[in-house]
Amino acid sequence: MKPIQRNILLNPGPATTTDTVKYAQVVPDICPREKEFQEVMDGIRADLVKIVNGGDDYTSVLFGGSGTSGMEATLASVVAYDSQVLLLINGAYGQRMLQITETYDIPTVVYNVEWGTAIDWSEVDAMCANNPDIGYIAMVHHETTTGILNPLGPFLEIARKYDLVTMVDTISSYAGIPIDLQGTPVDFLMSTSNKCIQGMAGLAFIICRNEVLKQLKDVPGRTVYLDLYKQYEYFERTGQMRFTPPVQVVYALRQAIDEYLDEGIQNRWERYSTSYQVLTQGLEEMGFRFLLGGDVEHSRILMTIYEPDDPNYDFTELHDRLYERGFTIYPGKVSDKETFRLSVLGAIDQNDIREFLRNLREVLREMNIEVKYTRF
Ligand SMILES: Cc1ncc(COP(=O)(O)O)c(C=O)c1O
């Protein structure tokens, strides 16, 4: 197997992948309606449930598309026409959920806090207590906008108290942060093939609690392609997707899942966590400061870093110089703050992070940048 040039992607997915995952896409042509391909899909569906310990209570449904298609399939298919969904928003991906519900004209109630700020669960509780029409609640687990982790425990406590159906975007946490659906039984978890599971971009998947999924049978669909129940029903009946799947991406996901199961959830989490720690320490030593403080829970997968005040600093130039050296850094997403982001998800480890820090130091020197802040 000829090694492929290895780029260290510090953007939060699509991530650096192993060569074995890349090469898994090189397969003989096959019609996805063949039994052989259905068996691959069957295995993937079962393993996606296993990764979050769903047991027999859960199933998984895949769509060809990026993570957003999974969010859209869930929100547009799950929420009943005569009910309301409460969206908890503290970042751009929570905001995207709102964009979806507005587009589909789904009755929505919004709990908004400043991006990067923790959700105040007593306020969410009060909103539910005051509005009996709320039947659904949704949030983003790891809000990749900032790196904040919105905890599943209090979210589920409120859902249980008010008997709400739960939907969680775990697009940038699934397979990176351990999730145990036996302990935290979210009804619908959305994710994608190209983040912590370390496959290629092109598949979205939703882990669904059977009992709730089956109730969608009689809910008229709002979308043709992204109809969650119809896709599930077709998978169950035929073992196939309703529409053409990204065949080679499916093979890459098969390989990525095998590599995930070999590594184990705890080891993957520790690998990410160690990289995060090394990165945090290295940046702190250089003088960098971070958006999130000690008062909120960190994903330990992504961090938002304040840009230094030095007049020589220019993100594009910093990016381009690091890119030439094989490292990709990512711009910030919090509009009123000057930040950039770094993520440790993907097939990288602490040694890559140390190499990155060494290169960053050199580039800062080349650009004559002093990491200092006058605005704090
Ligand atoms: C938490 C979260 N939700 C949704 C998305 C959207 O995924 P995609 O860009 O694959 O559509 C992302 C992408 O980074 C994300 O991090």
Side-chain angles (χ1 to χ4, degrees), residues 89-102:
I89 302 178
N90 60 352
Y93 297 105
Q95 194 62 33
R96 187 167 300 176
M97 292 201 288
L98 178 60
Q99 203 184 345
I100 293 169
T101 61
E102 283 178 348

Side-chain angles (χ1 to χ4, degrees), residues 66-68 71 93 96 140 142 144 169 171-172 195:
S66 78
T68 305
M71 297 166 75
Y93 297 105
R96 187 167 300 176
V140 177
H142 168 205
T144 330
D169 169 345
I171 285 174
S172 59
K195 295 208 191 279

